[in-house]
Amino acid sequence: MPPRSAALIALLAASLGLSGCASIGPQSLDDTRLQYNEVIKRTTEEQLLLNIVRLRYTDTPSSLGVSGIAAQFERTQSVGLLPFFTAAGGDLNRSFTAVLPQAQIMGADRPTFSLTPLDDQEFTRKLFTPLPLDGVIYLAKTTWPISKVFRLYLENLNWVPNAQSASGPTPRVAPPAGDFLRGVAALQTLQDRGAIVFGLLEQEEQLGGSLPAGAVSAANLIEATRNGLEYRPDAKRGWRLIRKNSVPVLRVDPDELNSPEMRTFAQAFHLREGATELRITQEALFPFRSALPKDGVASLDLETRSLLQALYYVSHGVEVPAGHRARGLATLTRDAAGRDFDWHEIMRDLFHVHTATERPANAHVAVQYKGHWFYLDEADQDSKSTFSLLVELSRLELSGKTGPGPQLTLPIGR
């Protein structure tokens, strides 16, 4: 081999060797991680919006979870020289006098996606399970506006209804919600001013009667402590078994008791005049206004919604195209006078899904359904924040799926 050819081979090999020194792993991760993140986020939001639109049309919601992504990256490289032969005087045994260098680098990206249907018993159970009282209080104590949390997740408060029939398929008769919305708006104003605070009230409860002194041993004392109980001596030199309870309460600034917002809030939910500490309970009041004390109550009694009920509720913020209305594809709601009911009266400042015949350019998230596009306007901050809260709550409610379940694994190579 001529010296020049040998030097060329050495140069190509060194170049490929140096390029191979840079690890393919970090570079591939840098190129693809945020792309996968964006796609997962976008398709998760599109799936939730599609299910909300389906509910407005009394269609069945369905979800598919991405349970795993395995990305495999490969790179192969080679170097070679293609000889050119010259024949002088018919002598084919002479060495070649020219070479054509060749170098080749090939890459492959073979991601594998595992998709898990979420329409099993566990999924359905979580969809239908009402949000516990602790969950509502937790959300109300976070930075989310209390009016948004209560409007989304309360069926009623002190049996004042929050469009209860809207927690399922679209009703034909407009549901009452005016008193609830007025009272919650006043509560939001009080929260914005720092006039209300959620807290815990420690209470003690005696379990059973007194016990003789000799009936309680050291082992009993230890066991009671493990279970959150306590034995205390009583006046008769016996023992009392005490259980401590933490009761959630809403504390009101006494200086705000005569404010217009507090009066509106108290009037809407039948609160006792002058109450500065309202116990928060769940379905503890008798469910009829006529049974409430004449001077009002000193509590906030809640009936909560499930995730499915909350999704049904916001689905009434979905616009229905005129053509779909004419064909009867979605249920129409009438008011007391028999006129078409405007759901915007209930969904105002909470949730609104627009519709268009073509994909909108100003969409925060958009899906196609029955020949139309349904989307959230990117400038509608109220709807976007409500949707964001629903996305996070749906992750909390549905992320604890147990069992492997059926999976669809899609290997995709390029």
Side-chain angles (χ1 to χ4, degrees):
M1 179 183 300
R4 183 178 178 183
S5 301
L8 187 56
I9 292 178
L11 179 61
L12 288 173
S15 299
L16 291 177
L18 289 174
S19 66
C21 291
S23 176
I24 188 175
Q27 184 61 46
S28 299
L29 183 63
D30 187 49
D31 293 339
T32 61
R33 178 171 181 171
L34 294 184
Q35 295 180 34
Y36 282 124
N37 177 282
E38 181 61 30
V39 170
I40 293 295
K41 173 184 177 296
R42 175 174 55 80
T43 55
T44 297
E45 292 176 346
E46 290 174 348
Q47 180 170 257
L48 180 60
L49 179 59
L50 177 59
N51 279 332
I52 292 174
V53 174
R54 284 169 171 166
L55 292 175
R56 180 62 183 90
Y57 283 79
T58 324
D59 200 352
T60 305
S62 181
S63 295
L64 194 64
V66 180
S67 57
I69 300 176
Q72 180 180 358
F73 303 96
E74 294 181 1
R75 184 172 67 182
T76 59
Q77 55 193 32
S78 61
V79 61
L81 295 175
L82 181 64
F84 282 88
F85 293 92
T86 60
D91 185 2
L92 298 180
N93 296 319
R94 291 188 59 183
S95 301
F96 58 86
T97 60
V99 294
L100 176 65
Q102 286 187 330
Q104 188 177 39
I105 300 177
M106 294 185 296
D109 177 8
R110 298 186 178 90
T112 300
F113 302 96
S114 297
L115 306 178
T116 305
L118 300 179
D119 304 336
D120 61 357
Q121 181 179 358
E122 181 72 6
F123 174 86
T124 304
R125 183 189 65 79
K126 290 187 175 183
L127 275 180
F128 280 89
T129 301
L131 190 69
L133 181 60
D134 291 345
V136 175
I137 302 303
Y138 172 78
L139 290 174
K141 292 176 68 175
T142 62
T143 54
W144 289 102
I146 190 172
S147 60
K148 190 179 294 290
V149 173
F150 278 16
R151 288 173 69 181
L152 275 178
Y153 267 96
L154 292 190
E155 282 279 83
N156 57 66
L157 197 162
N158 286 352
W159 294 103
V160 177
N162 175 28
Q164 289 185 216
S165 58
S167 297
T170 302
R172 298 188 180 277
V173 179
D179 289 343
F180 183 94
L181 294 178
R182 185 173 63 256
V184 166
L187 182 62
Q188 181 63 61
T189 302
L190 292 171
Q191 185 188 48
D192 293 340
R193 289 209 300 257
I196 59 169
V197 176
F198 287 91
L200 294 174
L201 176 65
E202 297 292 336
Q203 291 187 334
E204 296 182 351
E205 175 186 5
Q206 180 174 338
L207 304 179
S210 296
L211 299 173
V216 179
S217 64
N220 297 138
L221 295 174
I222 295 174
E223 185 65 23
T225 303
R226 288 176 179 172
N227 293 297
L229 305 175
E230 180 183 357
Y231 281 104
R232 291 183 185 173
D234 62 10
K236 300 179 180 180
R237 296 185 178 181
W239 295 94
R240 295 182 301 146
L241 183 58
I242 303 297
R243 178 171 59 193
K244 295 181 179 180
N245 296 319
S246 295
V247 180
V249 295
L250 179 69
R251 296 187 172 97
V252 181
D253 184 351
D255 293 339
E256 293 282 349
L257 289 177
N258 293 321
S259 67
E261 292 79 16
M262 188 61 203
R263 289 198 298 268
T264 299
F265 176 57
Q267 181 183 19
F269 298 114
H270 316 295
L271 300 178
R272 186 174 302 161
E273 184 177 355
T276 59
E277 191 171 79
L278 304 170
R279 293 185 57 180
I280 302 175
T281 58
Q282 188 168 13
E283 299 184 56
L285 290 180
F286 197 65
F288 298 103
R289 292 192 187 186
S290 59
L292 296 177
K294 299 300 181 183
D295 60 343
V297 297
S299 63
L300 298 178
D301 191 58
L302 316 178
E303 182 181 358
T304 62
R305 288 183 170 129
S306 65
L307 175 60
L308 181 61
Q309 288 176 306
L311 295 178
Y312 263 119
Y313 177 73
V314 298
S315 75
H316 296 99
V318 175
E319 287 183 5
V320 178
H324 290 183
R325 295 166 65 93
R327 293 165 56 192
L329 297 183
T331 302
L332 301 182
T333 304
R334 308 288 183 182
D335 61 16
R339 298 168 299 197
D340 285 352
F341 178 68
D342 183 7
W343 280 100
H344 189 61
E345 295 180 16
I346 293 178
M347 293 292 128
R348 182 179 290 109
D349 301 327
L350 183 69
F351 196 67
H352 186 198
V353 177
H354 301 265
T355 185
T357 55
E358 297 182 354
R359 186 181 183 94
N362 61 329
H364 172 64
V365 55
V367 294
Q368 196 171 22
Y369 183 77
K370 293 187 181 296
H372 283 72
W373 284 94
F374 296 85
Y375 67 98
L376 297 180
D377 193 314
E378 62 182 359
D380 185 355
Q381 303 303 324
D382 290 323
S383 295
K384 286 169 62 177
S385 65
T386 298
F387 188 71
S388 177
L389 178 58
L390 287 170
V391 169
E392 295 303 325
L393 291 176
S394 65
R395 286 171 177 165
L396 289 174
E397 289 292 314
L398 304 177
S399 61
K401 178 179 171 63
T402 59
Q407 290 188 351
L408 174 63
T409 301
L410 302 176
I412 301 175
R414 72 168 185 261

